Amino acid sequence: QVQLVESGGGLVQAGGSLRLSCAASGRAFSSYAAGWFRQAPGKEREFAAAINGGGSITYYADSVKGRFTISRDNAKNMVYLQMNSLKLEDTAVYYCAAKYGSSSRTATLYNYWGQGTQVTVSS
């Protein structure tokens, strides 16, 4: 079992930065891939970024590539999402997710989810 708790969301002006954190409980977290997904009002949940268990392989949605960076610290059981050059369209609830084995862009393959943290980008 893995429990995930996100933090770091908030209100930021367009062009600004935020760093989201995801604290994971449970053993052998390095065996789990992690991902960040987001859901804007009235829209479906969408993939943002993913990282493999060892932290050596990352994937990004085209919409965030070059602006967001996913990373992890397995010694601390933490996953991060550094978000730079934020845009109005980045406004959403951001969810941390984990799955055993390889990473994926597909939300339904992730077994464990956090409660979400709100990110609001203002003009």
Side-chain angles (χ1 to χ4, degrees), residues 34-36 49-51 58-60 68-72 79-82:
W36 286 96
I51 189 167
T58 56
Y59 301 99
Y60 297 94
F68 290 11
T69 302
I70 187 171
S71 62
R72 65 190 297 162
V79 180
Y80 306 99
L81 186 67
Q82 177 67 44

Side-chain angles (χ1 to χ4, degrees), residues 65-114:
K65 197 174 296 182
R67 300 187 298 119
F68 290 11
T69 302
I70 187 171
S71 62
R72 65 190 297 162
D73 184 340
N74 286 334
K76 297 181 179 179
N77 277 14
M78 295 292 296
V79 180
Y80 306 99
L81 186 67
Q82 177 67 44
M83 305 185 295
N84 298 329
S85 302
L86 283 162
K87 304 177 180 180
L88 296 179
E89 52 264 41
D90 294 320
T91 295
V93 177
Y94 283 72
Y95 297 91
C96 178
K99 65 181 291 294
Y100 187 80
S102 59
S103 55
S104 173
R105 300 169 183 262
T106 306
T108 55
L109 295 180
Y110 286 79
N111 308 103
Y112 306 101
W113 291 84

